[in-house]
Amino acid sequence: MGRRDHVIAREIKAMRALGLRVALDDFGTGFASLTHLLTVPVDVLKIDKSCVDSLSPGNPSSVIVGGLLSIAEQLGIRVVAEGIETESQAAQLSAFGCVLGQGYLFSPAVDRDAMTDLLLRLGQPLPAETPSVATESARTGGTAAGANQRTPPDAQGAVRRRA
């Protein structure tokens, strides 16, 4: 992005006016910054796997991820944590208030037909009462790190856990 943020923001606003939801992927990798949350209107932040990988109590990454979740909540942006591979990561994200996640803890990657079936059976409906609240598309998948229910995996392997 960079110097053309205003052009990108205008285009994203036009897409959102058509009912599309916009996700900012790989947040935390250096290509996406907090400034983008001020200049680019997004519905969903996808926290990069590299941030999730280093989660552990007392680790600086935990402070950053917790802070991102707090900022996103206050801005009305949904957050998907990518690359959740352990129960410990899922539990820590859940404790931070993160309810959407994807990773091999929930499901390996699945093919298009399997994903379509899962989305049709278990997908999250769009929240009708709050159209500005982010809803993940089939690409981002509806997943939960701490919701204890099953939802469909996305192409990268994401699902909500069952009780």
Side-chain angles (χ1 to χ4, degrees):
M1 293 198 231
R3 288 180 273 163
R4 294 182 30 123
D5 277 1
H6 66 284
V7 174
I8 294 168
R10 185 175 60 238
E11 295 300 320
I12 289 174
K13 284 179 186 176
M15 289 188 292
R16 289 178 77 208
L18 296 172
L20 297 174
R21 297 292 177 244
V22 178
L24 184 55
D25 199 14
D26 299 330
F27 199 82
T29 61
F31 296 108
S33 72
L34 289 174
T35 304
H36 291 125
L37 299 181
L38 300 172
T39 60
V40 180
V42 299
D43 301 292
V44 179
L45 273 184
K46 294 186 76 182
I47 297 177
D48 190 71
K49 179 184 184 315
S50 62
C51 295
V52 173
D53 282 344
S54 56
L55 282 179
S56 64
N59 185 301
S61 182
S62 298
V63 174
I64 292 169
V65 170
L68 281 174
L69 287 160
S70 177
I71 290 167
E73 178 183 15
Q74 293 178 52
L75 294 174
I77 299 171
R78 291 186 98 175
V79 176
V80 176
E82 297 179 321
I84 301 171
E85 296 180 352
T86 68
E87 288 289 341
S88 174
Q89 291 168 334
Q92 189 165 10
L93 288 161
S94 181
F96 289 151
C98 184
V99 297
L100 300 172
Q102 65 186 51
Y104 284 102
L105 175 63
F106 309 115
S107 173
V110 296
D111 66 28
R112 180 181 59 184
D113 294 333
M115 183 177 79
T116 300
D117 176 61
L118 288 165
L119 286 170
L120 290 172
R121 287 188 297 117
L122 305 168
Q124 294 178 351
L126 292 171
E129 68 282 353
T130 55
S132 65
V133 174
T135 301
E136 55 286 339
S137 67
R139 181 180 136 24
T140 58
T143 63
N148 294 328
Q149 301 175 28
R150 272 249 188 248
T151 11
D154 73 321
Q156 299 172 18
V159 307
R160 195 175 275 183
R161 293 183 296 165
R162 266 195 196 137

